[in-house]
Amino acid sequence: MFNTVKGQKRANLILDNVLSTGRAKGSYLFYGPSGVGKFSKALEFAMSLNCTSDGNKPCRQCNSCKKFLALSHPDLVYVFPTPNLKLQPDGFVKESKFLKEYEAYLKNKIESPYKPFFFSVGTQIRIDAVHMLSHRLSMSISEGKYKVCIIEDVHLMNQNAANAFLKILEEPPENCVIILLTEQKESLLPTIISRCKGVPFVKLSWKIIAEILEKNYVSEISEAELYAKIADGDIAKAIRLAKGYGLERREEAKELLLAMANRDDISVSQLATNLGKVSVKNEVQVVLHYLSSFFMDIYKLGNGLPTITNLDYREILENIALKNAGFNQYLPPLVQEIDAMVKINNLNFSILIMALYSQFCGNRISYEGV
């Protein structure tokens, strides 16, 4: 197969073997960190199964490949977490107030999949989506050799949907391939995992990401390496940074770090209040993830470890590390706490930030205006 997903040797090998034996059937579970190519690989695999070219598959040029790339192939069923669309078995969206968002999500997925898309309300995979899937899979193949279903973020399938979906996994139709994507394999029902062939994806090295960025998105290798290291294995995040998306959230995280380190109560309180008002939870999560990245760099610098992520902020981080040597021992568990807390639903982020600040004050972190 013509593999365009880099850094995933084991996944590529497993799927190449499937294609070479001509035994593509049943269900596959693509699992691993976010932003490492699971969706791209799923689409590439689906295209390869149905590509009409006599050469390398997928060719990306035949009518079949073009339709898959546009997510419009009649033998492709794409399921992902959404608001309650009141989806009908034929795929009709009955809840019109979310229709524009639903269409915008699909457009974003086709044109700029690296760019995050946030619905205005909470999302999950509901039983009506499973009923639609069941209906589509029961229909005869229209144009291709295989009917392919890609279910993204399958860990966000609710209990009723998961129970209904199990029946499909138990008796999948002939010439049908189901591909599940998740970054939280441990959240899935054991019965779902046991019915799928596992295809593991791994965190990408910063060197691989830098090569991709330099080839396609930036002109300076130093810029590519910076974004690659900040992205911490997530190629989608690296591309967003290269295109300018997310940089403002990183700047907010830096402002928060400096305010905390300076023990500027008023600024910390104001920043916490502002972040608490952000309507999209994921956006605040981005700020806190950057903050935890800064903390880990401070820890590394304070312990004489030269390899850090945020190279452009090195002077700032070194000064904080130098003036707060006694704080280093608290940083790794604090980072773990932040990473765990941001995953909690309905979390009050302004309260979390003030709680973190309280810990800083208790441990007398200092920056002194550098």
Side-chain angles (χ1 to χ4, degrees):
M1 186 166 70
F2 181 59
N3 294 306
T4 59
V5 177
K6 306 298 183 183
Q8 302 298 341
K9 291 182 179 179
R10 188 175 176 193
N12 286 336
L13 180 61
I14 290 172
L15 298 175
D16 283 351
N17 287 339
V18 171
L19 291 170
S20 65
T21 59
R23 297 175 182 173
K25 62 180 180 179
S27 305
Y28 299 83
L29 176 62
F30 290 18
Y31 63 93
S34 63
V36 296
K38 295 189 296 297
F39 179 82
S40 296
K41 192 64 189 179
L43 196 60
E44 186 176 83
F45 185 51
M47 286 193 293
S48 297
L49 291 170
N50 289 283
C51 180
T52 60
S53 170
D54 293 328
N56 286 328
K57 299 178 184 289
C59 70
R60 298 176 177 265
Q61 299 299 321
C62 67
N63 286 334
S64 176
C65 284
K66 288 180 179 178
K67 288 180 180 179
F68 271 101
L69 289 170
L71 302 180
S72 62
H73 197 289
D75 296 316
L76 170 67
V77 187
Y78 176 37
V79 177
F80 53 92
T82 66
N84 189 356
L85 302 174
K86 297 181 181 177
L87 198 62
Q88 304 300 293
D90 61 0
F92 177 74
V93 176
K94 190 174 181 180
E95 183 53 86
S96 59
K97 69 179 180 180
F98 296 124
L99 181 59
K100 287 186 177 180
E101 289 185 54
Y102 176 76
E103 292 173 341
Y105 176 93
L106 290 172
K107 182 179 180 181
N108 183 78
K109 195 71 177 180
I110 295 166
E111 297 178 356
S112 51
Y114 54 83
K115 188 177 179 181
F117 183 96
F118 303 115
F119 284 98
S120 59
V121 297
T123 61
Q124 58 181 288
I125 298 175
R126 296 172 170 81
I127 195 166
D128 55 3
V130 177
H131 288 160
M132 181 274 294
L133 169 62
S134 179
H135 174 72
R136 289 283 303 277
L137 294 183
S138 69
M139 299 172 65
S140 300
I141 292 176
S142 179
E143 295 180 8
K145 300 175 183 177
Y146 292 88
K147 191 176 290 289
V148 182
C149 170
I150 298 175
I151 304 181
E152 195 160 24
D153 292 332
V154 69
H155 55 276
L156 295 180
M157 186 177 284
N158 68 31
Q159 189 66 46
N160 288 337
N163 291 334
F165 180 60
L166 273 173
K167 297 179 181 178
I168 298 176
L169 287 182
E170 289 170 357
E171 298 180 7
E174 287 293 322
N175 295 328
C176 170
V177 171
I178 300 173
I179 307 171
L180 313 182
L181 313 180
T182 184
E183 58 191 67
Q184 296 182 28
K185 179 183 176 183
E186 67 281 358
S187 299
L188 302 181
L189 292 174
T191 43
I192 288 181
I193 296 174
S194 66
R195 285 171 170 77
C196 300
K197 180 174 181 58
V199 182
F201 285 71
V202 298
K203 186 176 175 179
L204 297 176
S205 73
W206 71 265
K207 290 184 179 180
I208 288 177
I209 294 178
E211 289 174 3
I212 295 172
L213 292 183
E214 187 184 10
K215 182 178 180 180
N216 300 287
Y217 298 100
V218 300
S219 56
E220 297 292 333
I221 187 169
S222 58
E223 187 180 6
E225 290 182 357
L226 172 63
Y227 293 147
K229 290 181 178 180
I230 293 172
D232 192 27
D234 186 330
I235 182 62
K237 181 188 290 186
I239 295 172
R240 289 197 296 271
L241 290 169
K243 287 184 167 288
Y245 300 113
L247 290 175
E248 69 281 1
R249 294 305 185 192
R250 186 169 180 251
E251 187 64 25
E252 287 174 342
K254 185 184 78 170
E255 290 180 19
L256 183 58
L257 173 69
L258 295 180
M260 287 180 168
N262 281 321
R263 301 202 44 192
D264 185 343
D265 298 358
I266 295 176
S267 293
V268 173
S269 178
Q270 187 61 57
L271 288 166
T273 300
N274 292 343
L275 287 171
K277 291 178 180 178
V278 174
S279 60
V280 181
K281 171 187 171 184
N282 306 63
E283 291 289 297
V284 186
Q285 287 176 315
V286 171
V287 175
L288 292 173
H289 281 307
Y290 280 133
L291 188 63
S292 68
S293 173
F294 295 154
F295 290 155
M296 282 309 301
D297 281 350
I298 293 169
Y299 174 78
K300 290 176 182 178
L301 291 167
N303 287 278
L305 302 174
T307 305
I308 66 170
T309 296
N310 300 280
L311 296 170
D312 53 336
Y313 292 163
R314 187 181 191 97
E315 183 178 353
I316 291 174
L317 300 172
E318 279 181 337
N319 275 281
I320 295 177
L322 180 65
K323 297 178 184 299
N324 298 277
F327 187 67
N328 276 344
Q329 61 180 309
Y330 301 102
L331 286 172
L334 191 56
V335 168
Q336 291 178 359
E337 180 181 341
I338 294 173
D339 291 344
M341 292 293 282
V342 296
K343 296 177 182 178
I344 298 175
N345 290 328
N346 302 318
L347 184 68
N348 188 315
F349 284 106
S350 27
I351 291 177
L352 170 60
I353 290 168
M354 295 310 296
L356 292 173
Y357 181 48
S358 176
Q359 293 185 52
F360 294 157
C361 292
N363 290 296
R364 299 190 297 278
I365 188 167
S366 173
Y367 183 67
E368 299 181 2
V370 174

